[in-house]
Amino acid sequence: LFAIIPFYIELIGGIGGGSSVLRVLRLVRIFRVLKVPKMKSCAEMFLDVGLDAAPALFILLLMSMLACIFFASCIYFSEGTSYSVDEQFLEAHPYGVYVRPTADGHSLQVSPFKSIPYSFWWFFTTATTVGYGDDYPTTTAGRLVAIFVFATGVVLLAMPITIVGGSFGK
């Protein structure tokens, strides 16, 4: 009864400002599926697997955060080590800016790695092998950091699969 009342309230009252609340209440109907005996045992199994794997996944999350801070710092310092007050950069950056070589290596460009927290985005897109291409290393040191991030990302992505898979086997 609780699951169908929002439909009739919306039907009688029309669509108003509170209709989003009613939509959320209508989503409660989905949880009725978990009362079916077959689905209840599956839901309990997933809950047991999640609880069994939680400590290992928590440690994995902490290790990912440490790797993120470490590699974001490495890419920030390897890509933005030269400070320039050259005329070509002063118009957009009156106090100077960190620069790096371009991809072809023949000129300089502003480093996209503005800060270590900004470099977190680069770490996660690189470690998960998404690699949007918006930020990429051009220096040799930066490319070496990227290689280590790729390798670390493969390990970080493989660990949850083995942890959760092992929990299903118990």
Side-chain angles (χ1 to χ4, degrees):
L1 184 65
F2 180 68
I4 61 171
I5 288 176
F7 171 75
Y8 290 111
I9 291 174
E10 232 179 80
L11 187 66
I12 293 169
I15 298 176
S19 65
S20 61
V21 174
L22 294 176
R23 286 185 190 141
V24 170
L25 290 177
R26 284 172 44 192
L27 285 174
V28 171
R29 290 186 286 187
I30 294 172
F31 295 111
R32 292 188 308 172
V33 173
L34 298 178
K35 291 182 181 178
V36 177
K38 285 186 213 176
M39 293 296 180
K40 188 173 184 178
S41 65
C42 290
E44 287 174 355
M45 179 186 65
F46 276 111
L47 184 65
D48 290 340
V49 166
L51 290 174
D52 188 36
L57 292 176
F58 179 71
I59 291 172
L60 176 69
L61 179 70
L62 288 177
M63 295 303 287
S64 297
M65 291 297 118
L66 285 174
C68 176
I69 293 168
F70 175 72
F71 284 117
S73 300
C74 289
I75 197 69
Y76 173 73
F77 287 115
S78 65
E79 287 292 310
T81 55
S82 300
Y83 192 77
S84 176
V85 287
D86 194 11
E87 289 294 325
Q88 68 183 18
F89 302 116
L90 283 181
E91 185 175 319
H93 307 281
Y95 298 111
V97 68
Y98 284 100
V99 295
R100 67 179 189 170
T102 57
D104 61 7
H106 295 298
S107 61
L108 295 174
Q109 67 182 17
V110 175
S111 177
F113 302 101
K114 299 171 184 69
S115 65
I116 293 173
Y118 182 84
S119 300
F120 290 173
W121 168 256
W122 175 84
F123 170 78
F124 283 113
T125 56
T126 305
T128 57
T129 65
V130 173
Y132 288 119
D134 48 356
D135 300 329
Y136 53 89
T138 59
T139 62
T140 304
R143 290 176 180 170
L144 288 173
V145 170
I147 290 170
F148 287 114
V149 170
F150 290 146
T152 304
V154 169
V155 171
L156 288 176
L157 291 175
M159 284 177 64
I161 294 170
T162 57
I163 292 168
V164 173
S167 295
F168 271 111
K170 290 181 182 178

